[in-house]
Amino acid sequence: MRNAPSRRDGERCEMCAEPVEQSHPHVVDLDSRELMCTCRPCSFLFVPEGAAAGRYRAVPERYQQFPEFALTRAQWEALGVPVGMAFFFRNSRLGRVVAFYPSPAGATESELTVAGWEEVVAVNPGLADAEPDVEAVLVADRNVEGPVGAGEDAFDCFLVPIDACYELVGHLRRQWRGFDGGQEVRERLQRFFDDLRTRSRPVRTGQEAS
């Protein structure tokens, strides 16, 4: 999927050409895998399932954290993700879950092992509630988030709008310096996860995720 476009003065809705605010909704074009900037009235048109013959879907604004998320280091390595953070979502056109991780080149797809992901979901069934194409499961090794989890052998897990993931990827790509990204990238990651914790509703085992 193409990264969400950066903010520009005079940015307009890509559906009706009306001006949009800096914080505005997005719609996913399922055929091109592009994120489209939209005004709120236009985004509402694509909330119902099957709208526009199923080509477009509005990105929700749901944020959740899974405090009881269970993942071992061995399970993470079995997923085949080469870094400590990735987001996972179901691509309805491909009919499977795909995984992407941030890199200097932008969002990079990882060759996800299906069996490994199914094992993770079996232990954490709430992850299956993410809406295809428009919501992602973001998993991060606490060692990549900054001081909050430094040194801990544990992972955090959030359910987030897909545009939040691509916004983060875009910021990291622009700020990346050297081999490991540099201090700016580390500070950006810490701010991002601090913000996620603030806005996310905790969902525990047995709770409805909606």
Side-chain angles (χ1 to χ4, degrees):
M1 182 183 294
R2 186 187 70 184
N3 292 348
S6 59
R7 168 69 178 165
R8 299 183 302 272
D9 290 339
E11 194 165 12
R12 294 180 176 274
C13 172
E14 294 184 61
M15 292 289 180
C16 69
E18 286 294 312
V20 294
E21 301 293 332
Q22 181 171 357
S23 178
H24 54 263
H26 291 97
V27 167
V28 177
D29 183 330
L30 302 188
D31 290 341
S32 66
R33 304 305 311 171
E34 292 185 352
L35 278 171
M36 304 176 64
C37 298
T38 63
C39 62
R40 195 158 297 277
C42 282
S43 72
F44 288 152
L45 297 175
F46 305 104
V47 171
E49 188 172 355
R55 177 174 175 177
Y56 300 106
R57 289 202 66 187
V59 177
E61 299 178 355
R62 181 168 63 157
Y63 287 84
Q64 297 176 337
Q65 182 177 13
F66 299 91
E68 299 172 351
F69 179 66
L71 181 70
T72 66
R73 188 70 56 185
Q75 287 174 318
W76 178 254
E77 292 174 354
L79 292 176
V81 179
V83 297
M85 178 174 62
F87 58 97
F88 307 81
F89 67 94
R90 176 163 289 280
N91 183 317
S92 62
R93 292 295 195 259
L94 298 178
R96 60 179 174 85
V97 174
V98 295
F100 288 84
Y101 60 89
S103 77
T108 302
E109 185 170 4
S110 177
E111 292 296 329
L112 181 66
T113 61
V114 176
W117 179 248
E118 290 178 346
E119 180 180 341
V120 174
V121 175
V123 179
N124 305 277
L127 307 188
D129 290 329
E131 294 188 29
D133 302 301
V134 293
E135 289 185 323
V137 173
L138 176 63
V139 180
D141 182 337
R142 289 180 186 167
N143 288 291
V144 306
E145 297 177 26
V148 171
E152 297 184 28
D153 184 19
F155 294 85
D156 282 327
C157 182
F158 301 85
L159 186 153
V160 300
I162 193 73
D163 53 3
C165 296
Y166 285 102
E167 180 180 4
L168 174 63
V169 167
H171 282 300
L172 298 187
R173 180 177 58 82
R174 290 190 295 272
Q175 297 173 347
W176 199 280
R177 299 294 183 272
F179 178 76
D180 64 354
Q183 185 62 28
E184 277 191 276
V185 162
R186 289 189 289 272
E187 291 175 354
R188 176 65 192 178
L189 282 171
Q190 185 176 348
R191 291 197 303 272
F192 177 79
F193 283 102
D194 286 346
D195 180 62
L196 277 190
R197 292 186 182 89
T198 299
R199 67 168 60 192
S200 297
R201 181 175 73 90
V203 176
R204 300 186 180 275
T205 303
Q207 275 189 270
E208 292 292 333
S210 59

